[in-house]
C-alpha cells in the first residue's frame, strides 16, 4: 500500500525470513560461529537460546546454507511429540524405512544402521529441533540416548536444539544432567543494541530501495529501541505499522506520535518494552562478577576492535538469571583474555550448566585496506594481470577484458550461491575496514588472498570479521552495459535468446531473434524461477551469471579455482 509512496520496491519490514534482508549483528555472528564450531566437532549436542523474535531460526537457516555438502539434515519444527513419534519423525526426515514405526527399538535399530552406513560413506548427520523448550522430559532423555550411537572415535549423530531461555533451565534439571554434560556448544542470543538497531533499520530500508535514510529520524529510532527492546521481530512489526500511519497522514517521515500509535496497535497500551527491562534481572551476588565479565564481552563484540575469538566468557550468563537460590558454589580462577598479550585474573563462582569458552589465538586474515589492491588475486583467477598502481580502477579495468563488477550485500552463503571468487569487506586485526579476496570455499574453510599472501581459514572465523559486502567479477556478453529488458532489440537480445534457449535445454527453429518479446520474457522468467531468482523477466547481472554457469562458459569457480604457488 505504501511502497510506491515512499519509493520502495517492496515492504522493508516484514517478519518473513527473507535472506536478502539478513542483518548479522556481532552477537548473531558469534552465535553462528558457535553453531558452526559445534557442527565441525566430534558430535554431541548444541544449544542456541534467545528471547522470542531475536533471530534464532534465521541464524539456523543461515547456518544450513553454509554446512558442507556431505551433511544430512533432519529438521523438526513440531517438538510436541512422544519418544516414539520423535524417532519416527527423525526417520521420515532422513528417508529411513522401518518395519515397525510404533516400536522404539525398531526405530532406533533402523536409525543406527542408517548412521553407520552414512559414516562409512563419509557423511555426517545432524538433527535440528526448533522450539525445543516444548520437548517433554522423556523425549529429551530419548535424545540423550541417541547420542550414544557412536563408533570408537566419533558420535554418529549431532543434535542442535533451538529454544527460548527456559530451555536452559530445563537442561539444568538434575534428572537431565547427563544430557547437559553432552552439550558441546551453547549460546544465548540477546537483542540488538541501540546503534545496531539504527544500522538494522537503515539496512532494511536500503535493500527495499529507499532513497530517504531520514525516514526514521534519530529521536524516532531511539524511541523505537525503547518500544522494541532491540528485538528484531518487534522492530519490524512496529516499523511497518508506523510507515502505514505515516503514509495515511501524508507525511514524509515517521514522527514520535505516529510511532507511539503504531506501538500501541502492535503491543497494546501497556508499559513500553524497554531495553533495560528485557535485559535486567535481580542477579544473585555470587553471579555478579560473571555478569560483569559478560558485559565486557558484549562491549568488545559490539566494537569489534578486539578479535572476538580472543574473549573468554561464560556465555550462559548473558541471559537474565533467575533469583532462585543456587546450590553452594566453590571458587575457581578464571582468565578473561582481553588481548593476546594481556589477561585479567578474577575469582568467579563455579556454576553448574555454565559453559566457559576458552580463548584461542586470533586468526590473522590476509587483508589490505586498499580496495584496488585486493583485486590483484581476483584478476589472477581470471588469468589476467592487474597492476593497481598503473592500471585503471578494477571495475573500469574489468570492462577492458569483457568483465563486469557486481557488488552484493550478502554473506558467504550468498557468495557460494553465485560460485564466483570475490573481494570481501572485513574488519582487520585493528578493527579497520579492509578487503580480502575469497578464492575458494572447501568444506568448512575458505582460501583467502591478498597480492602475495595466501591463507586457508575456517568459515567460522571469516564470518566473525565479514561485513557481508562483497564484489565479484563476471563475464558479460559483448556490448553489455545495462540489464536487457522487454522492448529492447538488437544483437545483445539475439545473444540472450540464443544463450537462454541453450541454458533451458530448449531448441529454436527459425531466424535469430532480435526483439525482446513476450516469448523471450517468459523464457527469462522460467530460468529465474529455476535458479531461485526474482522472476521479473529482466536479464540483469545475476541472470547472466546463472546463464553462464548453465552453459559452462569458461570462468573461475569458487569451488574449483586454480591453486597459487
Amino acid at each position: 500500500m505504501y511502497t510506491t509512496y515512499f519509493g520502495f520496491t517492496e515492504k522493508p519490514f516484514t517478519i518473513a525470513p527473507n535472506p536478502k534482508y539478513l542483518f548479522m549483528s556481532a552477537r548473531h555472528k558469534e552465535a553462528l560461529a558457535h553453531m558452526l564450531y559445534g557442527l565441525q566437532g566430534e558430535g554431541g549436542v548444541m544449544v542456541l537460546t534467545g528471547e522470542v523474535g531475536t533471530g534464532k531460526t534465521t541464524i539456523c537457516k543461515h547456518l544450513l546454507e553454509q554446512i558442507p555438502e556431505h551433511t544430512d539434515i533432519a529438521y523438526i519444527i513440531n517438538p510436541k511429540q512422544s519418544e516414539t513419534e520423535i524417532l519416527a519423525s527423525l526417520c521420515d526426515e532422513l528417508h529411513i524405512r522401518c518395519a515397525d514405526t510404533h516400536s522404539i527399538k525398531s526405530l532406533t535399530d533402523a536409525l543406527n544402521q542408517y548412521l553407520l552406513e552414512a559414516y562409512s560413506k563419509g557423511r555426517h548427520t545432524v538433527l535440528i529441533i526448533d522450539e525445543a523448550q516444548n520437548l517433554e522430559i522423556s523425549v529429551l532423555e530419548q535424545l540423550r540416548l541417541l547420542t550414544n550411537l557412536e563408533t570408537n572415535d566419533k558420535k554418529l549423530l549431532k543434535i542442535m536444539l533451538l529454544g527460548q531461555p527456559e530451555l536452559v533451565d530445563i537442561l539444568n534439571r538434575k534428572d537431565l544432567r547427563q544430557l547437559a554434560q553432552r552439550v558441546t556448544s551453547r549460546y544465548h542470543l540477546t537483542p540488538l543494541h541501540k546503534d545496531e538497531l539504527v544500522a538494522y533499520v537503515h539496512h532494511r530500508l536500503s535493500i527495499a530501495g529507499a532513497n530517504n535514510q531520514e525516514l526514521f529520524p534519530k529521536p524516532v529510532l531511539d524511541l523505537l529501541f525503547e518500544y522494541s527492546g532491540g528485538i528484531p521481530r518487534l522492530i519490524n512489526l512496529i516499523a511497518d505499522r508506523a510507515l502505514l500511519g505515516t503514509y495515511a497522514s501524508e507525511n514524509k517521515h515517521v514522527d514520535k506520535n505516529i510511532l507511539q500509535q503504531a506501538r500501541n496497535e502492535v503491543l497494546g497500551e501497556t508499559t513500553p518494552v524497554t531495553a533495560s527491562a528485557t535485559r535486567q534481572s535481580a542477579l544473585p551476588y555470587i553471579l555478579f562478577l560473571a555478569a560483569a565479565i559478560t558485559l565486557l564481552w558484549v562491549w568488545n563484540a559490539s566494537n569489534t576492535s578486539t578479535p572476538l575469538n580472543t574473549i573468554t566468557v561464560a556465555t550462559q550468563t548473558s541471559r537474565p538469571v533467575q533469583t532462585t537460590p543456587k546450590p553452594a558454589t566453590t571458587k575457581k580462577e578464571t582468565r578473561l583474555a582481553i588481548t593476546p598479550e594481556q589477561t585479567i585474573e578474577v575469582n568467579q563462582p563455579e556454576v553448574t550448566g555454565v559453559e566457559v569458552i576458552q580463548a584461542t589465538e586470533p586468526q590473522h586474515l590476509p587483508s589490505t585496506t586498499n580496495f584496488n589492491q585486493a583485486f590483484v588475486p581476483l584478476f589472477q583467477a581470471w588469468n589476467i594481470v592487474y597492476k593497481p598502481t598503473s592500471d585503471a580502477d578494477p571495475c573500469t579495468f574489468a570492462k577492458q577484458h569483457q568483465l563486469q563488477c557486481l557488488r552484493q550485500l550478502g554473506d558467504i552463503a550468498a557468495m557460494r550461491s553465485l560460485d564466483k571468487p570475490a573481494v570481501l569487506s572485513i574488519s582487520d586485526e585493528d578493527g579497520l575496514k579492509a578487503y580480502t579476496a575469497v578464492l575458494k570455499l572447501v568444506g568448512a574453510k575458505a582460501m583467502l588472498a591478498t597480492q602475495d599472501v595466501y591463507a586457508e581459514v575456517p568459515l567460522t572465523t571469516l564470518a566473525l570479521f565479514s561485513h557481508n559486502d562483497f564484489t565479484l567479477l563476471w563475464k558479460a556478453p559483448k556490448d553489455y552495459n545495462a540489464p536487457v529488458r522487454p522492448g529492447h532489440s538488437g544483437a545483445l537480445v539475439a545473444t540472450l535468446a540464443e544463450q537462454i534457449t541453450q541454458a533451458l535445454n530448449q531448441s529454436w527453429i527459425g531466424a535469430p531473434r532480435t526483439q525482446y518479446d513476450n516469448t523471450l520474457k517468459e523464457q527469462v522468467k522460467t530460468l529465474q524461477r529455476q535458479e531461485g531468482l526474482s522472476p521479473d523477466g529482466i536479464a540483469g547481472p545475476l541472470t547472466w551469471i546463472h546463464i553462464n554457469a548453465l552453459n559452462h562458459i569458461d570462468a573461475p569457480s569458487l569451488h574449483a579455482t586454480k591453486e597459487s604457488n
Side-chain angles (χ1 to χ4, degrees), residues 493-533:
V493 173
T495 300
L496 173 63
E498 178 184 355
Q499 291 195 10
I500 202 162
T501 300
Q502 178 183 344
L504 292 171
N505 291 319
Q506 297 176 349
S507 60
W508 177 264
I509 301 175
R513 292 177 287 169
T514 58
Q515 296 292 328
Y516 200 136
D517 55 16
N518 285 333
T519 300
L520 182 53
K521 178 181 178 181
E522 288 305 314
Q523 283 185 293
V524 172
K525 291 173 70 173
T526 297
L527 181 135
Q528 289 171 333
R529 292 190 191 96
Q530 173 184 304
E531 297 299 304
L533 304 175

Side-chain angles (χ1 to χ4, degrees), residues 124-417:
H124 304 285
T125 307
V126 180
L127 167 62
I128 301 175
I129 302 180
D130 209 347
E131 302 293 345
Q133 76 279 353
N134 293 320
L135 289 168
E136 298 291 340
I137 300 301
S138 58
V139 175
L140 286 168
E141 176 61 17
Q142 182 62 54
L143 293 177
R144 180 190 71 81
L145 295 174
L146 291 181
T147 64
N148 291 335
L149 301 177
E150 57 188 3
T151 64
N152 290 333
D153 59 351
K154 187 174 182 179
K155 300 286 186 183
L156 296 177
L157 180 67
K158 298 181 178 71
I159 299 175
M160 183 181 297
L161 302 179
L162 312 179
Q164 296 171 22
E166 49 266 37
L167 175 61
V168 176
D169 301 321
I170 294 172
L171 293 177
N172 282 339
R173 287 171 51 119
K174 185 176 181 180
D175 54 343
L176 287 177
R177 62 189 182 279
Q178 288 181 299
L179 176 60
Q181 291 170 3
R182 284 166 168 76
V183 175
T184 59
S185 178
R186 68 177 77 203
Y187 193 88
H188 182 77
L189 191 62
T190 57
L192 300 177
H193 291 166
K194 184 180 290 187
D195 58 340
E196 291 172 332
L197 178 142
V198 174
Y200 175 84
V201 169
H202 288 169
H203 169 74
R204 295 189 75 99
L205 289 174
S206 177
I207 297 298
N211 52 20
N212 178 15
Q213 287 294 333
E214 297 301 319
L215 191 56
F216 286 82
K218 181 63 166 60
V220 172
L221 289 174
D222 291 342
L223 195 59
L224 178 58
F225 178 68
E226 179 182 342
Y227 289 160
S228 67
I231 297 176
R233 186 176 300 168
L234 291 181
I235 296 171
N236 289 355
L237 290 170
I238 296 172
D240 178 69
R241 194 64 59 91
L243 288 175
L244 182 60
T246 303
Y247 161 73
S249 303
E250 297 184 352
N251 291 335
K252 293 301 181 184
H253 62 267
V254 180
D255 60 35
K256 289 185 176 181
N257 291 333
I258 289 176
L259 189 73
Q260 183 176 18
Q261 183 178 350
R263 176 237 170 242
N264 291 341
E265 291 178 4
V266 171
L267 301 177
E269 297 186 18
T270 56
T271 303
V273 181
T274 63
S276 59
T278 62
R279 300 189 181 109
Q280 190 177 34
S281 66
L283 291 175
Y285 82 95
I286 62 171
L287 293 181
F288 178 80
L289 191 54
I293 292 173
T294 301
L295 290 176
L296 180 60
W297 168 72
V298 172
W299 183 89
N300 274 280
S302 64
N303 285 276
T304 65
S305 59
T306 303
L308 294 180
N309 60 349
T310 67
I311 305 298
T312 300
V313 56
T315 58
Q316 206 53 55
T317 61
S318 63
R319 65 175 291 268
V321 182
Q322 291 185 339
T323 57
T324 305
K326 301 291 183 181
T329 59
T330 57
K331 300 287 186 180
K332 69 173 184 179
E333 185 177 84
T334 302
R335 288 178 178 265
L336 174 65
I338 303 301
T339 68
E341 297 82 16
Q342 179 183 5
T343 61
I344 295 177
E345 296 185 7
V346 297
N347 286 326
Q348 177 187 342
E350 182 172 342
V351 184
T352 303
V354 176
E355 179 191 28
V356 176
I357 300 171
Q358 297 300 326
T360 59
E361 288 298 318
Q363 291 279 347
H364 297 289
L365 308 183
S367 65
T368 173
T369 55
N370 187 318
F371 180 70
N372 294 358
Q373 191 76 39
F375 277 82
V376 172
L378 200 62
F379 278 108
Q380 287 177 349
W382 289 84
N383 296 318
I384 298 171
V385 176
Y386 174 57
K387 300 177 181 178
T389 55
S390 57
D391 291 329
D393 71 87
C395 294
T396 301
F397 179 79
K399 291 182 179 179
Q400 301 170 11
H401 296 270
Q402 204 177 324
L403 299 176
Q404 296 268 346
C405 283
L406 176 64
R407 181 189 173 193
Q408 292 283 282
L409 294 176
D411 54 12
I412 299 168
M415 193 186 305
R416 189 195 297 272
S417 70

